[in-house]
Amino acid sequence: MRLVIARCSVDYAGRLTAHLPSAPRLILVKADGSVSIHADDRAYKPLNWMSPPCTLKEGTGDDAGTWTVINKAGEKLIITMEEVLHDSSHELGVDPGLIKDGVEAHLQELLADRIETLGEGYTLIRREYPTAIGPVDILCRDADGATVAVELKRRGDIDGVEQLTRYLELLNRDPHLAPVRGVFAAQEIKPQARVLATDRGIGCVVLDYNAMRGIEDDKLRLF
């Protein structure tokens, strides 16, 4: 991973255009080729990014200080460096991945096995669908063939909704999957999380773990 702290401006050119004026920012270049630009007041969410596969070209000569990132769709992220304050590279090695709580992992397995309980005609694409920012718990299609991303938690709070939101932003950049809608599923969903999910067009599903295991009932309870 390469970390660069620099005063820079950023321009995105693709299906729309966006401009970030000059300011000190953190630029992350990961081994998978992804590039993301961060401010110091947005927690973990980048201001802008380019997902792999993409290529990074650092300018030379008259273009020195200009980075151009291009993805397979021809979209460009142009970073204009004014002053580089820090530039370092670090080898992180192979990440072991997130080890889920046993109940949460079992919920994922059960729901994948009974994906039609989300709705008639639902079909599973795969569990742990890989993205540049981590795996989506379950990716599936509804009866109309639309893509649905499911995020599973034991207790659903705002952080889980934010996590699913980031996945949806990324998945909707893939023309083979878009449009992708989200479902936030948990044994318990906090009221604030439900409000945020509803505001963002994300569906909520409350799961009964015992019923899913066949102890009380053989169906999910959808609320």
Side-chain angles (χ1 to χ4, degrees):
M1 178 183 291
R2 183 178 178 187
L3 297 89
V4 177
I5 298 175
R7 177 173 291 278
C8 62
S9 59
V10 183
D11 292 278
Y12 168 79
R15 288 170 292 178
L16 49 81
T17 58
H19 175 72
L20 294 173
S22 176
R25 297 190 174 92
L26 168 65
I27 304 166
L28 297 181
V29 183
K30 295 187 177 181
D32 63 5
S34 62
V35 178
S36 57
I37 296 94
H38 299 259
D40 203 18
D41 62 350
R42 294 282 298 272
Y44 42 73
K45 187 174 182 179
L47 297 166
N48 212 327
W49 69 94
M50 193 69 79
S51 303
C54 57
T55 58
L56 167 62
K57 180 181 178 181
E58 297 185 45
T60 58
D62 293 339
D63 292 327
T66 300
W67 290 14
T68 303
V69 188
I70 305 176
N71 67 11
K72 63 180 180 180
E75 298 169 311
K76 293 183 179 181
L77 197 63
I78 302 171
I79 307 170
T80 303
M81 307 285 189
E82 298 173 14
E83 181 183 9
V84 176
L85 305 173
H86 175 85
D87 188 346
S88 64
S89 296
H90 307 270
E91 180 58 54
L92 302 185
V94 178
D95 190 89
L98 177 65
I99 300 174
K100 293 181 176 291
D101 171 275
V103 172
E104 189 173 313
H106 197 206
L107 278 172
Q108 183 190 112
E109 180 182 349
L110 288 171
L111 186 56
D113 186 55
R114 307 178 185 183
I115 197 66
E116 71 281 354
T117 56
L118 290 176
E120 185 177 352
Y122 271 66
T123 56
L124 178 68
I125 296 176
R126 69 166 290 177
R127 295 168 54 191
E128 299 288 327
Y129 185 87
T131 77
I133 57 174
V136 177
D137 285 332
I138 291 177
L139 198 69
C140 56
R141 295 193 187 278
D142 64 18
D144 297 322
T147 311
V148 181
V150 183
E151 179 64 23
L152 282 163
K153 299 291 183 186
R154 289 190 65 186
R155 294 178 178 82
D157 56 21
I158 286 177
D159 286 346
V161 178
E162 292 285 6
Q163 182 179 0
L164 180 54
T165 299
R166 296 195 303 277
Y167 287 142
L168 291 172
E169 289 176 351
L170 192 60
L171 292 169
N172 273 301
R173 292 186 176 193
D174 187 337
H176 299 294
L177 297 175
V180 184
R181 63 182 179 87
V183 170
F184 188 49
Q187 289 178 274
E188 173 190 353
I189 299 178
K190 294 183 179 179
Q192 300 92 330
R194 186 182 292 276
V195 170
L196 180 61
T198 301
D199 182 67
R200 295 182 177 180
I202 294 172
C204 292
V205 175
V206 176
L207 306 176
D208 186 323
Y209 182 54
N210 287 333
M212 292 176 69
R213 295 166 62 201
I215 293 177
E216 296 178 359
D217 190 34
D218 195 45
K219 297 181 180 178
L220 293 176
R221 297 176 184 176
L222 306 184
F223 295 86

